[in-house]
Amino acid sequence: GAVVSQHPSRVICKSGTSVKIECRSLDFQATTMFWYRQFPKKSLMLMATSNEGSKATYEQGVEKDKFLINHASLTLSTLTVTSAHPEDSSFYICSARDLARGGEGTEAFFGQGTRLTVV
Amino acid sequence: AQSVTQLDSHVSVSEGTPVLLRCNYSSSYSPSLFWYVQHPNKGLQLLLKYTSAATLVKGINGFEAEFKKSETSFHLTKPSAHMSDAAEYFCVVKAGSQGNLIFGKGTKLSVKP
């Protein structure tokens, strides 16, 4: 199956600093990638939809100036958490859909996730 | 609008006994449904998917799910649990033209020796 690589898997940063998380589709092109956040003991919540070459679409309640998303190529999307605070500590997961496979129900492929801890 | 409800937040079974993880969905049209599994501190792995073909879907690791339109359900089952099945399971419905996914709240499966 298609592979999505997310890096880093774990990161610890100080309050006020910024952290960049990368999401790469290794063997397919993804015009659209999705960024999710998973709170402890809760489900995944979609943060934003990242479209190659255009601005990301953010879900309601997600601060676009805080969570900067860049999708500069068909195989790379980045999420930058700016001026991180302890409440930003969470598990962030990206996913991408291999549009070449097409069709309804095409599965999404997920990265391994990034555990962010802000101290 | 699409939504998905996982009826149990935690299910505990003994090794070798059947597993049933319940999921109900709401969709304004024929849905695409998925079950994903997440092992601790790891990403998500697709178990199986329903895409309006056969209503009984077989997935990996012996799991299967049956799409029942009349009951708007898509329950996940396995005849015999293994210790390695202990994980969090998410029922997911695909929404939107771009394919973003709506997740249930997850069911944590514990398997006792």
Side-chain angles (χ1 to χ4, degrees):
Chain A
V3 177
V4 173
S5 176
Q6 189 173 337
H7 178 79
S9 58
R10 289 179 179 272
V11 59
I12 300 173
C13 71
K14 293 184 178 180
S15 290
T17 62
S18 296
V19 174
K20 179 184 285 187
I21 302 170
E22 292 187 348
C23 180
R24 294 180 183 274
S25 56
L26 297 186
D27 52 1
F28 67 99
Q29 294 184 330
T31 56
T32 303
M33 292 186 176
F34 305 93
W35 287 95
Y36 296 86
R37 179 175 178 176
Q38 186 176 30
F39 293 92
K41 299 182 180 180
K42 292 191 177 181
S43 188
L44 285 81
M45 300 298 294
L46 179 66
M47 298 175 65
T49 302
S50 166
N51 297 296
E52 185 265 336
S54 63
K55 291 183 179 180
T57 302
Y58 290 82
E59 295 299 300
Q60 190 173 8
V62 178
E63 299 177 60
K64 62 180 181 180
D65 294 329
K66 180 167 187 61
F67 298 99
L68 299 178
I69 292 174
N70 182 278
H71 193 158
S73 76
L74 288 173
T75 59
L76 174 64
S77 176
T78 61
L79 167 67
T80 301
V81 182
T82 63
S83 186
H85 290 150
E87 56 264 32
D88 298 327
S89 298
S90 193
F91 194 59
Y92 294 86
I93 302 179
C94 70
S95 77
R97 192 174 297 277
D98 184 353
L99 296 180
R101 300 188 181 199
E104 286 293 314
T106 306
E107 67 179 280
F109 299 95
F110 286 82
Q112 305 94 317
T114 297
R115 173 73 61 190
L116 171 63
T117 303
V118 184
V119 298
Chain B
Q2 288 78 21
S3 67
V4 62
T5 302
Q6 290 182 248
L7 299 164
D8 307 294
S9 59
H10 190 194
V11 170
S12 181
V13 301
S14 297
E15 190 174 22
T17 63
V19 175
L20 170 64
L21 305 183
R22 297 182 295 167
C23 172
N24 286 99
Y25 70 91
S26 172
S27 178
S28 53
Y29 52 86
S30 184
S32 294
L33 294 161
F34 309 81
W35 275 98
Y36 283 88
V37 60
Q38 184 181 32
H39 288 92
N41 293 316
K42 293 194 175 180
L44 292 150
Q45 181 183 20
L46 179 70
L47 280 178
L48 49 79
K49 62 182 179 182
Y50 167 76
T51 57
S52 73
T55 56
L56 181 62
V57 182
K58 293 187 183 298
I60 63 172
N61 301 335
F63 284 94
E64 62 182 39
E66 186 172 7
F67 174 74
K68 291 187 177 181
K69 186 176 181 179
S70 60
E71 299 176 10
T72 61
S73 69
F74 190 57
H75 302 332
L76 181 70
T77 60
K78 182 173 181 177
S80 175
H82 293 169
M83 296 296 293
S84 59
D85 294 328
E88 185 111 26
Y89 291 80
F90 293 96
C91 183
V92 182
V93 62
K94 176 176 169 286
S97 59
Q98 294 194 95
N100 55 294
L101 304 177
I102 297 174
F103 285 76
K105 292 188 176 181
T107 299
K108 183 176 180 180
L109 176 65
S110 298
V111 182
K112 298 175 290 187

